[in-house]
Amino acid sequence: MYYEKIMVFLLTFIKPNLFDEGHNVSISTINRILTQAGFEKLHIRFQKNANDTLLFPTNKATNIEVAKLKPFKIDCPIAGVYFLIPYIVESGIIDIVKECKLPSSSKISSIQANLSILLLKSIGNERLSDIQAYDQEPAFGIAGLNILPKATFMTTYSCRTSELMLQQLQQKVVSNFRLQYPDFYQAKYINLDCNEVPHFGTESLLSKVWCGSRGKTLKGANVLLAQDGNSDVILYTKADVLIKKETQEINKFVDYWNNITGSITETLVFDCKLTTYQVLGELEQEQPPIKFITSRNRSKKLLTETALIEEHRRQKVHLPIPKRKPQDFLAHESKIKLKGCVNMFRQIAIKGHGREKPTFVITNNWELKLTEVLEVYAKRWRICVIFQYKCIIFTVNGKDSF
């Protein structure tokens, strides 16, 4: 173990020093020079010896017989993952993985595979392809393996799962979490958003999607997220949403959430591009009606009619949302009937809010005050932060991609 640490130290500090002196030498070259100088090749994988106490090189992940291990002391920079063990047991996630019959191999069970992913994510690493960099971390032994699975196994794991498996897993996990941690599921509002995650791989099999953040069409995946309005806990996810079926995905979420809660009492908050007027009418026709808050596309006729509204008919509104500028603007509320819908809806036209053109918010929630409707919709942008300020990584053909 000390030998491997010395080699890591040499490889870590020699390369930067050479680079500072104007020599851009690769790690493999440095490793070859060290080998020619008498150092043995650096091993990165380990297994137990006959005494089940020391670790030696191996190329395969195998089960650890914890009962046969003798106590030993070793440096472990990520020992904090042991604090995660009580929560893993308490949440019941292991039993859920067993019930869902997720993929496994002859050497690695579904529990070991999923625990390996969970442990890697718990230390802040987002790329599954980086998993082999942690082969020498003994704390990851709580996954039940002598070493973590190879990167190829982990990055292609999702390819062996079906949509039915993932939805079943998701529904069981969220249902169990609502019982175990009810404080995180008390919001009256659920934020929904569908975003595009571009893929920059040369062998991408994904279809092209419009990426608004880059202002162009790229190969990528549509991802739908549902988020608790208060705790920001993710309630539902679905990747690879087909563009032609994107407008119907909200109905699938409604079925999913009905199966968990029995009845949807929360108000759904989403952008106008997520669905169509026809789907809004279907939500209104549900028994009981599903409440929603969304925006409306700006048509030329709608903008002309709004421009004719007299100033004294507009209401001054103040939204005390931190970091929002401006917080004071004008709003006008009216009743409208959307194309393909039977019932009337509330429409709030906003002006003087920092944009050149008015913004239109529509809802079938008649109980909320005007300011409450606008405040709830304004906070919907928090779900977009997940996409805008964090690296969202997924796998295609065994390769990670942003």
Side-chain angles (χ1 to χ4, degrees):
M1 178 61 69
Y2 290 107
Y3 163 72
E4 280 78 16
K5 289 188 176 181
I6 292 173
M7 289 293 290
V8 171
F9 176 83
L10 291 174
L11 294 177
T12 303
F13 288 93
I14 290 177
K15 179 176 172 60
N17 289 333
L18 290 175
F19 184 80
D20 293 339
E21 295 177 3
H23 305 287
N24 189 11
V25 183
S26 66
I27 290 292
S28 59
T29 300
I30 297 174
N31 195 27
R32 185 176 66 253
I33 294 173
L34 292 174
T35 302
Q36 293 174 353
F39 292 93
E40 296 181 6
K41 184 178 179 181
L42 175 63
H43 299 291
I44 60 174
R45 292 185 165 269
F46 299 85
Q47 70 178 2
K48 300 171 294 180
N49 70 351
N51 297 325
D52 296 314
T53 55
L54 300 178
L55 302 173
F56 288 91
T58 184
N59 290 323
K60 295 183 179 180
T62 57
N63 294 325
I64 293 178
E65 297 182 25
V66 180
K68 294 184 179 180
L69 287 177
K70 296 181 180 180
F72 62 92
K73 293 183 180 181
I74 194 169
D75 293 335
C76 184
I78 59 168
V81 297
Y82 284 106
F83 292 101
L84 190 63
I85 297 177
Y87 297 100
I88 294 176
V89 176
E90 180 185 76
S91 65
I93 188 68
I94 295 178
D95 294 331
I96 293 175
V97 171
K98 289 180 180 178
E99 294 174 9
C100 294
K101 299 180 180 180
L102 294 178
S104 60
S105 69
S106 59
K107 297 293 184 179
I108 304 173
S109 68
S110 59
I111 296 175
Q112 292 169 336
N114 283 272
L115 282 180
S116 298
I117 296 174
L118 179 61
L119 292 171
L120 187 67
K121 299 296 182 180
S122 68
I123 64 173
N125 191 294
E126 295 179 333
R127 285 187 178 273
L128 292 179
S129 58
D130 292 340
I131 195 167
Q132 287 183 243
Y134 299 91
D135 281 342
Q136 301 181 38
E137 302 298 342
F140 282 145
I142 61 178
L145 297 170
N146 61 326
I147 58 171
L148 293 175
K150 291 183 179 180
T152 303
F153 177 87
M154 300 309 297
T155 55
T156 59
Y157 188 78
S158 61
C159 299
R160 297 190 291 274
T161 60
S162 65
E163 182 178 348
L164 181 61
M165 284 182 183
L166 296 177
Q167 292 301 317
Q168 183 184 20
L169 174 66
Q170 185 170 212
Q171 184 169 324
K172 287 181 178 294
V173 169
V174 174
S175 298
N176 191 45
F177 278 16
R178 290 182 74 249
L179 297 176
Q180 295 284 345
Y181 316 105
D183 292 342
F184 292 100
Y185 301 89
Q186 299 295 327
K188 297 180 180 179
Y189 310 98
I190 295 177
N191 299 322
L192 293 102
D193 197 34
C194 195
N195 272 264
E196 300 76 27
V197 183
H199 175 248
F200 300 110
T202 56
E203 301 177 0
S204 176
L205 300 177
L206 299 174
S207 59
K208 289 187 176 181
V209 295
W210 172 257
C211 298
S213 59
R214 295 181 177 269
K216 58 182 178 180
T217 301
L218 295 171
K219 284 191 174 182
N222 277 340
V223 180
L224 179 67
L225 287 181
Q227 176 193 54
D228 187 277
N230 285 346
S231 64
D232 295 344
V233 168
I234 300 300
L235 308 176
Y236 175 81
T237 64
K238 185 178 180 182
D240 296 335
V241 176
L242 298 178
I243 297 177
K244 60 182 179 181
K245 296 183 179 180
E246 180 180 339
T247 57
Q248 299 297 322
E249 288 301 321
I250 192 170
N251 290 329
K252 295 183 179 180
F253 169 75
V254 168
D255 294 337
Y256 162 84
W257 200 241
N258 267 325
N259 291 334
I260 292 178
T261 63
S263 177
I264 298 181
T265 58
E266 301 90 346
T267 298
L268 307 183
V269 189
F270 48 88
D271 186 75
C272 63
K273 297 180 181 180
L274 183 60
T275 190
T276 61
Y277 292 157
Q278 180 181 352
V279 175
L280 296 182
E282 294 174 0
L283 295 178
E284 174 67 15
Q285 295 299 317
E286 291 281 345
Q287 295 297 328
I290 297 175
K291 299 177 182 179
F292 62 83
I293 300 175
T294 185
S295 57
R296 185 181 183 186
N297 289 321
R298 305 182 187 95
S299 65
K300 185 175 181 180
K301 179 181 178 181
L302 186 59
L303 291 174
T304 302
E305 293 175 350
T306 305
L308 298 176
I309 299 175
E310 300 173 351
E311 290 297 321
H312 71 273
R313 295 175 57 192
R314 302 181 187 271
Q315 177 182 344
K316 292 183 178 181
V317 179
H318 174 75
L319 289 185
I321 300 178
K323 299 183 180 181
R324 177 179 176 82
K325 295 180 181 180
Q327 295 184 345
D328 298 297
F329 47 87
L330 299 175
H332 177 266
E333 182 174 350
S334 60
K335 294 182 179 180
I336 61 166
K337 188 174 182 180
L338 300 175
K339 183 179 179 180
C341 300
V342 177
N343 298 336
M344 303 291 287
F345 298 101
R346 296 173 66 185
Q347 175 176 280
I348 303 172
I350 307 170
K351 179 182 177 182
H353 57 308
R355 298 192 179 186
E356 181 180 357
K357 297 180 180 180
T359 295
F360 301 91
V361 177
I362 53 178
T363 179
N364 62 344
N365 192 329
W366 300 90
E367 300 174 0
L368 292 177
K369 297 180 181 179
L370 183 147
T371 53
E372 292 176 331
V373 173
L374 298 181
E375 185 174 357
V376 169
Y377 186 77
K379 290 181 178 179
R380 184 198 68 86
W381 285 102
R382 290 187 298 182
I383 196 172
C384 298
V385 174
I386 297 177
F387 290 92
Q388 295 175 355
Y389 299 105
K390 293 184 180 180
C391 293
I392 297 182
I393 298 172
F394 61 100
T395 303
V396 178
N397 293 338
K399 297 182 179 179
D400 286 335
S401 171
F402 286 100

